Amino acid sequence: MRYKVVKTLIKKELLDVIRDKKAVVMMLIVPLVIYPLIFFGTMAVMTAIQTGMEQNEYKVAIQTADGWEWYDALIDAIDKHNYPETDDTSKEAEKIDQLKVVRTDEEWDYDKGYKALQAEEIDAYVMISSQDIDARPVYRIIYVSSITNSTYAADLLKDIMNKLNRAESERLIRDNGMEPKLILSPIVIDSKDIASKEQTTGNLLGMVLPMLLIISLLMGTMYPAIDTTAGEKERGTLETLLTLPVSNREIIIGKFFTVAIIGIASALLNLLSMALMGIYMMKLIGGLGITTEPVNLGRFIPAIIVTILAVLVFSLFISALTMCIAAFAKSYKEANNYITPMTLVVMLTGYIAFIPNIDLNRKMSLVPVANICLLVKNILNFKYDMSIIALVLISNVIYAILAVLFLGRVYNSEGILFDEGRSGIQLFERRSNMTKGGVPTTGDAWFLICVAFMAVIYLGSLLQLKLGLGGVAGTQLIILLLPLLFIIYTKRSIRDTYSFKKAKVSSFIAGLLLGFGTMFLGILLTVFTSSLFPADAETASEGLGSALSGSGFFATLFVAAVMPAVGEEMMFRGFILAAFKKRYKITTAILLVAVVFGVYHMSVVRFFTTALLGAALALTVYYSGSIFPAMLMHFCNNGVAVLQMFYPEFFINHVPILGEEKLSISSAIILFLLGTVLAAAGILLLRRNHRGKEV
């Protein structure tokens, strides 16, 4: 790679972005003014609200009735401000002069008070309720929590009533010759906060700053990522760029670093703006005469250094990710639509900094976005673990490299860069314009994946909760029928989409070899991931067991083995694989199908095992040219699991290596060797029988 060429491309891309004055304003100038505007705007609004609340007059209605012992005292407190004195001064009511008794009526009841409150004729209503079990009178304050004035008036009334209650308690105690303080407060409760000013400040920043950094980096990289990918397609300048004597890798690296540089600049400007705002607030507090303990900013220098490093590596990751998504779009508008779901996911994940008791351990340090938020939160709370810090930074760099490598594949595919009509969603076209035959598009596949996942998550979960095994069968019917109805409506070829073609006997044998080899390797993967995520492993096992419990062997075998072997294969290795093969290279298509299949099972522990199985099944369909060997593989894999569930003693006695709860080192080595040999034999036999035709 020629670094001078990359440097020139970066300059060219930066100039292209900077020429757009609106983009410069949004990315560079707005961060400097947005926080002062937010601060002063919020302060102005809050001050206006508080001033308005303190100047308002609140109307109160009070029911009169026999036994209303505190009626006069309450009227006195409200109208004459004759507030009773007590030994407890911690709950003195303020602004009592804002209350005004507008009605005292013996005939008023709950219904009348309800209507008056809803009509906002009054703000609160005090009525006598029935006595409690100790024969004490109950005085109830009725208000409407959805109306601010009503809530405020109710709070003022509660202050008065609590004060009256305290005064009455003290009177009764004194009448019995005792000291109210010793009776009502026999012990003095005090607390002392030993957190330093730096710790308190760091804790506050640790909750707010990560989210702001994530949003600023996301907003800073979004525009240049779209502009350098989908924007060039829309302007028609990408073709010119590709004709230059530069490699695709140099183009990608130039665009990637351009987006990353702008994202970093935007994030650093956000940090600068927040720092200036913080300094101004400290000066403002000092100017008002409020004395506070000074903050030693020197203690935050290590945190600032690590935060800047976190900004740098996260900028690399988010830049590559947004470019990967935007590269699939044909226009700026379409790219915005694609990136919106990612934006929501990133922002929701960023809220993890607000959640208490979530630690940044080795597992969480590998979770994108969340690891950066928790890292910044930890270091601002002066929690330094160099191994965790290194893991977070390195993992983000690795994710960025993987995303750039994927981006390279995108730029090597003319079908993706210059859409050839293979990505649209056919469902949204007029059926009369649809032509018969062919397979679904990638747009159809991704749309079906989203719809199917939502149906399985919501409808499938509800069915399983209510019907147990019947609900599992209902979920499998959803997976079977959704793609089938899609194909019928869009007039696609069922035979070509589902690969309903004859397969050689040797393909079935090869599929079984690969299937059992994958199953043995999958056991090792499951043991490994279960040790990393024990809680998730237990939850997944309990969920599956509860759904299948209480049913006979053959019913369970049919629902858990036969139905998935048909429905899931027709969807994942039929509909989705056929669509992906049409647009992506076969390796990319198989990997995508594997990942989607792993995500579909919605378990961290089961993801890698099911993804491995999904890749093996897709490989079998590709090499055999038929879906039927993959169906047999899927049935055998699930069938063995059902047999283990119903006949565990058989496996313990005859196949102990599959019945062990914890694998020994020797058993793990045997499983690895056996799985590798069987999988390799299956793949070799499949390749030998490969027809060399597109399914």
Side-chain angles (χ1 to χ4, degrees):
M1 186 171 61
R2 297 166 295 178
Y3 295 101
K4 287 186 178 180
V5 173
V6 172
K7 185 178 178 181
T8 303
L9 287 171
I10 292 174
K11 288 182 178 179
K12 175 258 180 192
E13 296 290 348
L14 284 173
L15 286 173
D16 285 344
V17 175
I18 293 172
R19 284 193 188 103
D20 190 339
K21 305 303 181 185
K22 293 180 181 178
V24 174
V25 170
M26 291 299 296
M27 292 183 296
L28 303 180
I29 298 178
V30 169
L32 290 174
V33 299
I34 189 68
Y35 297 106
L37 286 176
I38 291 174
F39 173 74
F40 290 115
T42 304
M43 289 292 292
V45 171
M46 295 300 295
T47 302
I49 292 173
Q50 187 65 27
T51 302
M53 295 293 291
E54 293 175 356
Q55 292 177 350
N56 281 348
E57 187 178 73
Y58 301 96
K59 296 169 287 186
V60 179
I62 301 176
Q63 182 189 40
T64 60
D66 293 336
W68 220 135
E69 298 176 6
W70 288 0
Y71 172 77
D72 292 333
L74 182 60
I75 295 296
D76 250 14
I78 295 176
D79 286 348
K80 300 178 182 178
H81 314 312
N82 185 13
Y83 210 61
E85 301 234 351
T86 68
D87 292 333
D88 178 19
T89 59
S90 62
K91 294 183 178 180
E92 290 190 13
E94 298 177 355
K95 308 177 186 67
I96 302 305
D97 55 338
Q98 291 181 259
L99 292 177
K100 181 181 180 182
V101 179
V102 296
R103 183 161 186 168
T104 57
D105 194 336
E106 184 176 355
E107 296 181 357
W108 265 47
D109 55 15
Y110 178 80
D111 290 335
K112 289 182 178 180
Y114 175 86
K115 292 177 181 177
L117 283 168
Q118 292 292 352
E120 298 189 40
E121 296 172 0
I122 58 175
D123 296 306
Y125 169 49
V126 183
M127 63 176 291
I128 298 176
S129 183
S130 59
Q131 295 180 342
D132 69 354
I133 57 175
D134 297 321
R136 297 180 303 174
V138 178
Y139 302 115
R140 181 165 295 165
I141 301 171
I142 313 296
Y143 69 103
V144 185
S145 62
S146 59
I147 301 175
T148 304
N149 285 354
S150 183
T151 303
Y152 191 82
D155 288 338
L156 294 178
L157 281 170
K158 287 175 187 175
D159 285 339
I160 296 176
M161 300 293 283
N162 286 332
K163 197 74 171 180
L164 291 171
N165 198 20
R166 176 83 183 195
E168 181 65 13
S169 298
E170 292 180 4
R171 185 189 67 78
L172 291 173
I173 292 171
R174 286 194 186 94
D175 289 348
N176 284 275
M178 292 179 285
E179 177 59 37
K181 276 187 179 180
L182 296 178
I183 299 301
L184 296 176
S185 302
I187 62 173
V188 178
I189 300 173
D190 193 13
S191 61
K192 181 175 177 59
D193 183 8
I194 62 171
S196 65
K197 193 68 176 178
E198 292 78 18
Q199 288 175 312
T200 304
T201 304
N203 182 60
L204 178 61
L205 290 175
M207 290 189 293
V208 178
L209 188 60
M211 184 66 177
L212 294 176
L213 283 176
I214 293 298
I215 294 175
S216 63
L217 275 169
L218 186 61
M219 297 298 105
T221 57
M222 185 183 300
Y223 175 83
I226 295 175
D227 187 68
T228 56
T229 52
E232 281 207 319
K233 290 184 189 179
E234 191 171 17
R235 293 190 298 268
T237 57
L238 183 60
E239 293 89 339
T240 305
L241 184 61
L242 292 174
T243 60
L244 297 175
V246 293
S247 66
N248 282 1
R249 179 181 297 180
E250 291 167 342
I251 293 174
I252 293 164
I253 296 299
K255 290 179 177 294
F256 167 67
F257 278 109
T258 298
V259 176
I261 288 170
I262 295 174
I264 291 170
S266 178
L268 293 179
L269 283 173
N270 274 272
L271 281 173
L272 177 62
S273 180
M274 285 185 276
L276 293 174
M277 200 64 242
I279 293 171
Y280 174 79
M281 289 177 64
M282 293 176 65
K283 296 289 185 182
L284 182 63
I285 292 173
L288 294 174
I290 302 173
T291 58
T292 59
E293 183 183 345
V295 178
N296 182 8
L297 297 179
R299 290 193 61 188
F300 288 97
I301 291 177
I304 293 171
I305 294 172
V306 178
T307 299
I308 292 174
L309 289 175
V311 167
L312 293 175
V313 297
F314 186 73
S315 177
L316 297 177
F317 167 67
I318 203 68
S319 300
L321 183 61
T322 49
M323 288 181 69
C324 285
I325 295 174
F328 286 90
K330 295 179 290 185
S331 63
Y332 193 93
K333 181 180 179 181
E334 188 177 345
N336 272 305
N337 293 334
Y338 288 172
I339 287 179
T340 297
M342 183 207 74
T343 304
L344 295 175
V345 172
V346 170
M347 292 179 66
L348 288 174
T349 308
Y351 276 107
I352 196 170
F354 291 95
I355 304 174
N357 301 324
I358 295 185
D359 297 324
L360 180 61
N361 50 34
R362 295 187 182 276
K363 300 172 189 176
M364 289 300 299
S365 64
L366 300 176
V367 180
V369 182
N371 55 9
I372 291 292
C373 292
L374 293 176
L375 174 62
V376 175
K377 181 180 179 180
N378 271 16
I379 59 176
L380 287 172
N381 282 280
F382 305 102
K383 297 178 182 178
Y384 298 99
D385 186 331
M386 298 310 297
S387 62
I388 294 293
I389 292 173
L391 199 56
V392 172
L393 299 178
I394 292 171
S395 65
N396 275 272
V397 172
I398 292 174
Y399 296 149
I401 292 172
L402 292 175
V404 171
L405 292 175
F406 178 78
L407 193 63
R409 286 187 170 274
V410 172
Y411 270 75
N412 284 328
S413 173
E414 292 185 3
I416 298 176
L417 289 181
F418 311 108
D419 190 271
E420 299 172 359
R422 298 180 294 183
S423 63
I425 301 176
Q426 301 295 313
L427 184 67
F428 299 143
E429 295 183 9
R430 287 187 178 183
R431 197 163 189 267
S432 58
N433 295 335
M434 297 177 186
T435 57
K436 293 183 178 180
V439 298
T441 65
T442 50
D444 294 335
W446 287 116
F447 180 77
L448 176 68
I449 289 169
C450 295
V451 173
F453 276 13
M454 291 299 101
V456 169
I457 290 172
Y458 294 106
L459 183 56
S461 299
L462 181 62
L463 289 173
Q464 292 179 32
L465 183 64
K466 296 291 185 181
L467 304 176
L469 186 67
V472 177
T475 304
Q476 292 299 325
L477 283 175
I478 292 172
I479 296 170
L480 173 68
L481 293 176
L482 277 178
L484 183 60
L485 294 173
F486 200 118
I487 290 171
I488 293 172
Y489 180 80
T490 56
K491 303 178 183 179
R492 303 297 97 185
S493 169
I494 292 178
R495 182 175 182 273
D496 293 339
T497 301
Y498 286 137
S499 299
F500 284 161
K501 299 171 184 178
K502 290 182 180 180
K504 295 179 180 179
V505 175
S506 56
S507 294
F508 285 97
I509 296 172
L512 289 175
L513 291 173
L514 177 57
F516 281 104
T518 304
M519 183 176 66
F520 294 146
L521 295 175
I523 293 172
L524 290 175
L525 266 178
T526 301
V527 171
F528 176 72
T529 52
S530 296
S531 65
L532 293 178
F533 308 98
D536 187 79
E538 185 177 350
T539 302
S541 178
E542 289 178 356
L544 182 63
S546 62
L548 300 178
S549 62
S551 304
F553 170 73
F554 289 104
T556 304
L557 184 68
F558 179 78
V559 172
V562 176
M563 293 188 74
V566 176
E568 291 180 11
E569 288 310 302
M570 289 174 64
M571 176 173 171
F572 292 99
R573 262 66 61 179
F575 191 105
I576 297 174
L577 181 60
F580 285 175
K581 282 195 307 178
K582 185 179 179 182
R583 182 166 185 176
Y584 308 129
K585 292 182 179 180
I586 187 59
T587 304
T588 304
I590 290 174
L591 288 176
L592 285 174
V593 170
V595 171
V596 171
F597 188 60
V599 172
Y600 156 77
H601 286 82
M602 291 177 285
S603 169
V604 176
V605 171
R606 296 168 64 189
F607 170 79
F608 297 99
T609 305
T610 50
L612 178 64
L613 176 63
L617 292 167
L619 198 66
T620 302
V621 173
Y622 172 70
Y623 278 129
S624 67
S626 172
I627 201 172
F628 298 120
M631 287 182 174
L632 179 62
M633 289 170 61
H634 201 148
F635 168 77
C636 291
N637 181 83
N638 290 19
V640 170
V642 174
L643 286 170
Q644 282 184 300
M645 183 185 300
F646 279 87
Y647 305 105
E649 299 83 4
F650 174 83
F651 284 88
I652 293 173
N653 296 329
H654 297 87
V655 196
I657 198 171
L658 298 180
E660 295 179 10
E661 291 186 4
K662 293 185 178 180
L663 286 176
S664 61
I665 296 177
S666 58
S667 297
I669 293 173
I670 292 172
L671 279 175
F672 176 75
L673 293 175
L674 190 59
T676 303
V677 170
L678 289 175
I683 292 173
L684 289 173
L685 187 55
L686 281 170
R687 294 186 65 178
R688 182 179 177 184
N689 296 331
H690 183 37
R691 296 178 179 180
K693 297 180 180 179
E694 287 293 325
V695 179

